[in-house]
C-alpha cells in the first residue's frame, strides 16, 4: 500500500469524528508512526483481527470495525435469506470503545437487513459462544482483545456452532473484508429504526440464567459441593474484566459460599489500572489476590482475563506460600480429576476424546491413555479444538471429554465451543474441595500426578518485534530455522522435525518423511532423543514470536535442570539471529 495516499485520504475526510481527527493531527509530523498506521490494512486473520486503537487502516477504530463487519455482512448475504434471518449475536468486554464497536458492528449489519442481537452490557466470550448456539444465529462477534494491554481491542468471529470460524470459511470472510475498497464510505443503518423494526434486539438476563443453568451440569460431585462447599475459601479476581458476575453467580448457586472478590479489581476498568498486564499467566497479576488470600487463608486463588476465556490458579505450595500454576499444570489437574472421577462413577465414555494443541504438555496424553481416552492434537488456537468437536458431533465418532491449551484455556462442557474461564473456575473450586476432603491441597494433587505419570515440565519465551521491520525479522527467523535446522541441542540429537507450513514430519535418523494431516501454519516443532521438545510459532494476535519448551524426567530436579538448559540453548541461538 502507498501509505501516504491513504493518510491523505483520511486527513481530508470530513467525518472521522473529533477524537480520531485529533489523534491524526497529533501524529502528522511523526512519519514513522504515520507509516505504521497506514502501510497496510489491519490483518484480518482466521479468528478476526486485533490491534492497537488509533487512526489509520492498521489500527482499531470505527472504520476498520465497519470494514470487518461489512465483510461479514457480504459473506452472510451470499448464504441467503435464512442466514440473514438467523443473524448475528454481538457481545463486548470492558475495553476502551468496546461498546461503541459492538454497536458499529450491529449498524453495519443492519444496513444489509441482517437480524442482530446485542448484549445490553458487557459479557464474557464464553457466554457469547453459548448465545450463538442458544439463539441459533448464523454467526457471532465478540469485541475484545482478550489479555492484551489497554491500548488494544479486537473483533473476534464465531460460526453457527459457537466456535470460532475454521480456516476455510474464515478465508472466505477474509476475502470479503479485503474486497471492501473504501472503509470510510461504508453505509450503516439507524439504531432507532433497527430497534423499531426489531432488526436489532437487546439481550438481557434471560441469557445469563440459561448459561448459568448449563454451567451447573459440569460438576462431577454436586452433592459434595452443596453439603460442604462452604469449607473452601476462595479468592477471585476478574482483573477489571467481564467475569465478576458470572463467576460469583455460578459459585454461589453451586454451593460455594465462602468466596471473596478482590475489591480493587472487581469493577470493569479499561485501563486495568491495578496491574501491568490483565493476564492470569502473569504472576504480577496475582499480587492483590495473594494479599487477600493470606488474609483469608484461602485454599485457592482464581484470576480471569478481561473477556473471561482464560483462567489462572494460585495454590498453597511449599511452606504454605501461594504458587501460580502453569496452564499445563492446571490442565493436568483438571484432566486427571475429570477422568478419574467419571471412571469411578461409570460415566466415562468408551469413545472418549481429549483435545489439546501441539504446544500443550504431553502429560495430557499420558493421563488420557491411562483412562482409555484418545488424545488428538490440533494446531494452536482453540478454534481448532472447536472445529474437531463439531466434526466428531457430526460423524458421531468420539465423545468430547475435555479440551485445553497451555495458554490457560480450558473447556469442560460442550455447550460452549471456546475456552471458558467460568466453567474452569467452577471446576477449580470443586477440585479444591475434593482434595481438601482428602487432607490435600491442589499442589499436593499436582505432585501426585507427576509421581504417577512423570515430571513433565514446560516453559515459554517470546520476542516482541513490532511494526513492518518486526514482521520481517519474525519471517526471517522462521526461514533461517527452516534452511538451517538444528540437528542437535546440547549433547542430544534432534530425532523429529515437524514443519506445519509444509505439512511434513521428518524422522531425521531414518531420513524419512510423512505428511502431517492438519491445516497449514507457520510453525516448527523439534523433538529430541530424550523426549524433550521445542516449538517456534509467530503469535496470531500480537507482534510476537513465541518459543515453547517441554521435557519429561524421572524427578523434579532433573526436569528443572533439563528444561533450563534447553531454553538457554535455543534462546542463545535465537538472539544471535535477531
Amino acid at each position: 500500500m502507498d501509505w501516504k495516499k491513504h493518510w491523505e485520504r483520511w486527513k481530508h475526510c470530513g467525518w472521522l469524528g473529533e477524537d480520531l481527527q485529533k489523534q491524526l493531527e497529533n501524529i502528522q509530523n511523526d512519519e514513522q508512526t504515520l507509516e505504521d498506521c497506514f502501510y497496510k490494512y489491519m490483518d484480518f486473520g482466521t479468528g478476526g483481527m486485533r490491534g492497537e486503537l488509533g487512526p489509520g487502516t492498521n489500527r482499531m477504530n470505527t472504520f476498520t470495525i465497519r470494514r470487518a463487519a461489512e465483510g461479514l455482512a457480504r459473506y452472510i448475504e451470499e448464504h441467503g435469506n435464512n442466514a440473514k434471518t438467523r443473524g448475528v449475536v454481538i457481545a463486548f468486554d470492558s475495553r476502551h470503545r468496546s461498546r461503541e464497536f459492538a454497536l458499529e458492528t450491529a449498524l453495519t449489519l443492519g444496513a444489509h437487513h441482517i437480524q442482530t442481537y446485542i448484549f445490553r452490557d458487557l459479557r464474557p466470550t464464553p457466554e457469547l459462544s453459548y448465545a450463538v448456539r442458544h439463539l441459533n444465529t448464523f454467526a457471532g462477534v465478540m469485541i475484545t482483545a482478550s489479555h492484551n494491554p489497554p491500548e488494544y481491542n479486537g473483533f473476534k468471529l464465531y460460526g453457527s456452532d459457537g466456535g470460532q470460524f475454521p480456516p476455510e470459511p474464515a478465508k472466505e470472510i477474509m476475502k470479503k473484508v479485503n474486497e471492501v475498497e473504501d472503509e470510510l464510505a461504508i453505509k450503516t443503518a439507524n439504531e432507532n429504526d433497527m430497534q423499531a423494526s426489531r432488526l436489532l434486539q437487546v439481550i438481557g438476563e434471560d441469557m445469563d440464567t440459561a448459561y448459568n443453568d448449563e454451567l451447573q451440569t459440569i460438576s462431577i460431585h454436586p452433592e459434595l459441593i452443596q453439603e460442604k462447599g462452604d469449607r473452601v475459601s476462595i479468592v477471585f479476581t476478574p482483573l477489571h474484566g467481564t467475569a465478576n458476575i458470572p463467576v460469583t453467580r455460578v459459585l454461589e448457586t453451586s454451593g460455594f459460599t465462602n468466596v471473596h472478590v478482590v475489591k480493587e479489581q472487581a469493577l470493569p476498568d479499561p485501563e486495568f489500572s491495578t496491574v501491568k498486564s490483565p493476564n492470569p499467566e502473569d504472576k504480577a497479576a496475582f499480587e492483590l489476590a495473594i494479599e487477600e488470600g493470606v488474609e483469608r487463608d484461602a485454599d485457592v486463588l482464581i484470576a480471569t482475563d478481561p473477556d473471561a476465556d482464560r483462567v489462572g490458579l494460585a495454590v498453597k505450595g511449599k511452606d504454605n506460600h501461594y504458587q501460580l500454576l502453569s496452564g499445563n499444570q492446571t490442565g493436568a489437574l483438571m484432566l486427571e480429576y475429570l477422568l478419574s472421577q467419571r471412571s469411578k462413577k461409570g460415566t466415562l465414555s468408551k469413545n472418549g476424546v481429549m483435545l489439546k494443541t501441539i504446544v500443550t504438555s504431553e502429560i495430557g496424553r499420558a493421563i488420557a491413555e491411562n483412562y482409555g481416552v484418545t488424545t488428538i492434537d490440533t494446531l494452536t488456537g482453540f478454534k481448532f479444538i472447536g472445529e474437531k468437536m463439531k466434526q466428531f458431533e457430526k460423524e458421531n465418532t468420539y465423545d468430547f471429554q475435555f479440551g485445553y491449551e497451555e495458554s490457560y484455556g480450558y473447556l469442560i462442557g460442550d455447550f460452549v465451543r471456546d475456552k471458558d474461564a467460568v466453567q474452569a473456575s467452577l471446576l477449580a473450586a470443586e477440585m479444591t474441595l475434593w482434595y481438601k476432603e482428602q487432607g490435600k491441597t491442589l499442589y499436593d494433587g499436582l505432585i501426585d500426578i507427576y509421581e504417577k505419570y512423570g515430571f513433565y515440565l514446560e516453559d515459554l519465551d517470546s520476542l516482541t518485534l513490532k511494526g513492518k521491520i518486526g514482521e520481517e525479522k519474525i519471517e526471517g527467523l522462521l526461514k533461517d530455522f527452516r534452511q538451517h535446522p538444528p540437528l542437535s541441542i546440547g549433547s542430544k540429537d534432534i530425532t523429529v522435525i515437524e514443519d506445519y507450513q509444509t505439512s511434513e514430519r521428518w524422522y531425521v535418523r531414518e531420513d524419512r518423511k510423512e505428511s502431517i494431516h492438519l491445516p497449514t501454519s507457520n510453525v516448527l516443532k523439534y523433538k529430541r532423543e530424550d523426549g524433550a521438545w521445542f516449538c517456534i510459532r509467530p503469535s496470531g494476535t500480537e507482534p510476537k514470536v513465541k518459543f515453547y519448551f517441554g521435557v519429561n524426567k524421572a524427578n523434579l530436579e532433573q526436569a528443572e535442570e533439563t528444561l533450563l538448559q534447553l531454553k538457554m540453548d535455543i534462546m542463545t541461538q535465537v538472539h544471535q539471529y535477531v
Side-chain angles (χ1 to χ4, degrees), residues 3 35 149 161 164 174 186 337 358 403 408 411 482 568 574:
W3 70 266
E35 181 180 7
D161 64 329
Q164 294 179 52
M174 288 162 60
I186 294 169
Y337 178 73
I358 58 174
Y408 291 57
L411 184 62
R482 283 191 170 92
M568 287 176 58
V574 168

Side-chain angles (χ1 to χ4, degrees), residues 51 56 61 96 118-119 122 144 146 172 256 271 277 300 318 351 395-396 404 422 438 462 510 520:
N61 52 63
H96 288 295
I118 189 169
F119 279 93
L122 54 86
T144 180
S146 189
E172 293 181 34
F256 292 105
E271 285 296 318
S277 171
V300 63
K318 297 177 181 177
N351 295 317
E395 297 173 352
N396 195 27
Y404 77 118
V422 188
Q438 300 179 62
S462 65
E510 302 98 295
T520 59

Side-chain angles (χ1 to χ4, degrees), residues 413-441:
D414 64 0
F415 52 90
V416 168
R417 296 298 169 93
D418 202 352
K419 48 188 179 284
D420 187 343
V422 188
Q423 288 189 30
S425 296
L426 176 58
L427 185 62
E430 180 176 337
M431 289 193 306
T432 304
L433 173 60
W434 187 81
Y435 276 108
K436 191 168 186 177
E437 286 299 292
Q438 300 179 62
K440 295 182 178 182
T441 66

Side-chain angles (χ1 to χ4, degrees), residues 107-392:
L107 299 183
T108 303
L109 294 170
H112 294 261
H113 305 288
I114 294 170
Q115 179 65 52
T116 306
Y117 305 88
I118 189 169
F119 279 93
R120 178 179 290 113
D121 299 300
L122 54 86
R123 290 296 188 278
T125 289
E127 187 168 349
L128 180 278
S129 173
Y130 173 76
V132 169
R133 297 173 62 81
H134 189 77
L135 295 170
N136 191 33
T137 61
F138 183 80
V141 173
M142 182 72 197
I143 304 297
T144 180
S146 189
H147 58 288
N148 282 61
E151 63 269 22
Y152 281 74
N153 212 328
F155 180 99
K156 202 171 181 181
L157 272 175
Y158 288 80
S160 58
D161 64 329
Q164 294 179 52
F165 276 106
E168 288 310 311
K171 288 176 183 177
E172 293 181 34
I173 298 172
M174 288 162 60
K175 184 173 182 288
K176 295 296 181 188
V177 172
N178 291 330
E179 288 173 356
V180 178
E181 294 181 355
D182 187 356
E183 70 284 352
L184 300 176
I186 294 169
K187 294 180 180 179
T188 58
N190 178 274
E191 180 182 358
N192 292 332
D193 291 346
M194 284 186 70
Q195 289 185 338
S197 65
R198 301 283 292 166
L199 196 61
L200 176 60
Q201 297 183 33
V202 177
I203 303 173
E205 294 180 359
D206 288 350
M207 190 66 67
D208 303 333
T209 301
Y211 174 54
N212 190 65
D213 288 346
E214 286 282 8
L215 288 166
Q216 308 291 326
T217 66
I218 71 166
S219 292
I220 305 294
H221 297 297
E223 70 290 340
L224 175 64
I225 302 173
Q226 287 293 328
E227 181 184 353
K228 299 180 179 180
D230 61 342
R231 298 184 183 182
V232 172
S233 177
I234 300 167
V235 167
F236 170 64
T237 172
L239 297 179
H240 304 292
T242 60
N244 189 5
I245 292 175
V247 168
T248 54
R249 180 197 294 120
V250 74
L251 290 176
E252 182 179 350
T253 54
S254 298
F256 292 105
T257 56
N258 193 4
V259 180
H260 312 280
V261 180
V262 177
K263 60 181 183 296
E264 297 93 337
Q265 299 171 332
L267 296 178
D269 174 9
E271 285 296 318
F272 311 113
S273 53
T274 65
V275 292
K276 183 178 180 181
S277 171
N279 186 353
E281 298 180 60
D282 185 356
K283 186 176 181 180
F286 273 85
E287 287 181 0
L288 292 178
I290 290 173
E291 289 180 13
E292 184 95 2
V294 171
E295 181 181 338
R296 304 281 186 179
D297 192 28
D299 297 295
V300 63
L301 316 180
I302 302 174
T304 54
D305 69 344
D307 68 321
D309 60 354
R310 299 171 189 242
V311 66
L313 305 182
V315 301
K316 288 182 178 178
K318 297 177 181 177
D319 302 322
N320 224 29
H321 291 133
Y322 289 106
Q323 176 173 327
L324 179 63
L325 299 181
S326 72
N328 284 312
Q329 290 171 333
T330 297
L333 278 163
M334 289 182 173
L335 184 59
E336 173 70 16
Y337 178 73
L338 287 168
L339 299 189
S340 67
Q341 298 310 299
R342 286 171 181 165
S343 180
K344 287 180 181 178
K345 295 187 75 172
T347 59
L348 183 60
S349 171
K350 293 180 180 179
N351 295 317
V353 67
M354 186 276 289
L355 300 167
K356 73 175 190 67
T357 68
I358 58 174
V359 296
T360 299
S361 174
E362 287 299 300
I363 198 171
R365 191 184 311 277
I367 294 171
E369 184 179 351
N370 183 60
Y371 293 100
V373 170
T374 299
T375 296
I376 293 180
D377 287 329
T378 72
L379 291 178
T380 306
F382 225 88
K383 59 179 172 284
F384 296 109
I385 291 176
E387 183 183 23
K388 283 293 182 184
M389 293 172 69
K390 183 178 181 180
Q391 175 190 333
F392 299 152

Side-chain angles (χ1 to χ4, degrees), residues 498-559:
E498 296 175 340
D499 188 336
Y500 290 87
Q501 191 169 73
T502 62
S503 298
E504 285 187 337
R505 180 179 292 112
W506 177 27
Y507 294 92
V508 179
R509 286 175 173 170
E510 302 98 295
D511 194 22
R512 175 173 60 87
K513 292 184 178 181
E514 67 180 22
S515 297
I516 298 173
H517 299 291
L518 287 173
T520 59
S521 184
N522 189 16
V523 179
L524 291 167
K525 187 172 184 179
Y526 301 81
K527 299 179 182 180
R528 211 166 63 170
E529 60 182 319
D530 62 344
W533 59 270
F534 72 94
C535 186
I536 308 173
R537 169 186 165 265
S539 171
T541 57
E542 301 171 86
K544 287 183 177 181
V545 57
K546 296 185 175 183
F547 306 89
Y548 304 81
F549 311 92
V551 301
N552 175 25
K553 294 297 178 182
N555 61 62
L556 183 59
E557 184 178 357
Q558 284 183 355

